[in-house]
């Protein structure tokens, strides 16, 4: 098997197994068996299980962060260099939620891997999250431009809480479905994004900035 194909086979097998079974229960021998390669190939291409996990997470995270920044750039361009705070927060949480929730995404190994990465705190992923924050600094800067009168510390907390709501929704979607007896629709990802954005804007502005939920949200809440 050519080297590039071997590497891809290992990554695909690892992502699928980690998504299905979690990080602790999958061994390198499980991965090589699923990929149809030998253990030496994993060591050659990645060096260790931690490095393999890290590469998978970085690959998926880069795609998400690129989408976030593209949406932020578009929002600021539309606003002449200063985007509305709700558009900034929508760019921040939207790609992650769209990437992990909804009937189409839940069936993909990539989405299930990222959900697993959100649920299980493993050292290689934790190190990457703590290190790769440059794209979040761009969001913090955009938030300062959008709300110039707000204390910078409060803006950081607002960014942090918006991300926390998104990740908690991903981690505990099944529990919310059971708790609400299905009335909270976890397949309506646009509505989830708008709810998180609305709460985040309210927290940051103290209700001063008006945030209008989409008509579908207002209609559902009226029922």
């Amino acid at each position: 098997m050519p080297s590039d194909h071997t590497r891809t086979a290992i990554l695909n097998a690892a992502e699928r197994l980690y998504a299905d079974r979690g990080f602790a229960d999958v061994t390198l021998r499980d991965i090589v068996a699923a990929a149809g390669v030998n253990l030496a190939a994993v060591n050659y291409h990645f060096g260790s299980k931690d490095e393999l996990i890290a590469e998978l997470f970085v690959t998926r995270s880069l795609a998400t962060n690129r989408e976030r920044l593209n949406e932020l750039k578009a929002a600021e361009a539309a606003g002449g260099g200063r985007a509305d705070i709700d558009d900034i927060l929508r760019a921040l949480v939207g790609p992650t939620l769209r990437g992990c929730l909804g009937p189409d995404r839940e069936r993909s190994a990539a989405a299930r891997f990222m959900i697993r990465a959100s649920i299980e705190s493993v050292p290689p992923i934790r190190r990457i999250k703590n290190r790769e924050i440059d794209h979040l600094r761009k969001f913090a800067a955009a938030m300062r431009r959008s709300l110039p009168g707000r204390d910078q510390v409060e803006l950081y907390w607002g960014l942090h809480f918006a991300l926390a709501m998104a990740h908690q929704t991903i981690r505990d979607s099944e529990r919310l479905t059971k708790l609400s007896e299905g009335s909270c629709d976890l397949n309506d990802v646009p509505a989830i994004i708008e709810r998180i954005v609305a709460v985040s804007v309210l927290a940051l502005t103290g209700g001063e900035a008006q945030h209008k939920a989409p008509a579908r949200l207002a209609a559902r809440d009226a029922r």
Side-chain angles (χ1 to χ4, degrees):
M1 184 183 296
S3 181
D4 287 348
H5 291 169
T6 299
R7 184 183 181 85
T8 299
I10 294 169
L11 287 169
N12 289 343
E15 184 172 62
R16 185 173 64 254
L17 289 172
Y18 288 139
D20 290 341
R21 293 163 47 186
F23 298 107
D25 290 340
V26 176
T27 68
L28 287 180
R29 293 190 181 279
D30 294 329
I31 293 168
V32 299
V37 301
N38 57 45
L39 190 58
V42 176
N43 294 329
Y44 172 78
H45 286 287
F46 304 101
S48 68
K49 179 179 177 179
D50 278 2
E51 290 301 318
L52 175 55
I53 292 172
E55 175 142 352
L56 280 167
F57 183 73
V58 166
T59 299
R60 297 305 178 192
S61 295
L62 282 175
T64 299
N65 294 342
R66 190 180 304 115
E67 187 178 352
R68 281 174 168 167
L69 291 173
N70 285 341
E71 291 187 17
L72 176 61
K73 183 178 179 180
E76 291 208 298
R82 178 174 165 181
D84 290 340
I85 188 63
D86 56 336
D87 289 330
I88 296 170
L89 292 167
R90 194 173 290 112
L92 177 69
V93 303
T96 299
L97 290 162
R98 289 194 300 270
C100 291
L101 297 179
D104 294 333
R105 299 304 302 160
E106 287 170 0
R107 287 195 291 267
S108 77
R112 291 183 293 109
F113 172 83
M114 291 304 286
I115 292 170
R116 184 73 69 174
S118 182
I119 294 171
E120 297 184 21
S121 180
V122 294
I125 290 177
R126 193 161 57 244
R127 286 193 294 268
I128 292 166
K129 285 182 176 180
N130 291 337
R131 185 181 69 233
E132 302 296 332
I133 59 172
D134 285 349
H135 72 289
L136 296 180
R137 293 192 190 281
K138 290 181 174 66
F139 277 91
M143 291 169 73
R144 287 194 295 273
R145 289 190 289 272
S146 182
L147 300 174
R150 289 293 181 274
D151 182 82
Q152 181 170 284
V153 171
E154 295 306 315
L155 295 178
Y156 283 130
W157 278 114
L159 185 154
H160 176 75
F161 289 147
L163 289 174
M165 281 190 283
H167 287 297
Q168 178 64 17
T169 301
I170 291 167
R171 283 194 297 266
D172 275 347
S173 59
E174 184 177 353
R175 182 170 68 170
L176 178 58
T177 299
K178 290 180 180 177
L179 176 65
S180 68
E181 296 181 342
S183 60
C184 292
D185 185 0
L186 272 299
N187 287 327
D188 191 350
V189 181
I192 294 170
I193 293 169
E194 294 307 318
R195 291 185 189 281
I196 291 174
V197 169
V199 172
S200 301
V201 170
L202 183 63
L204 280 167
T205 64
E208 295 171 14
Q210 292 186 353
H211 174 78
K212 296 182 179 180
R216 62 178 176 276
L217 275 183
R220 177 183 295 126
D221 290 344
R223 289 200 294 268

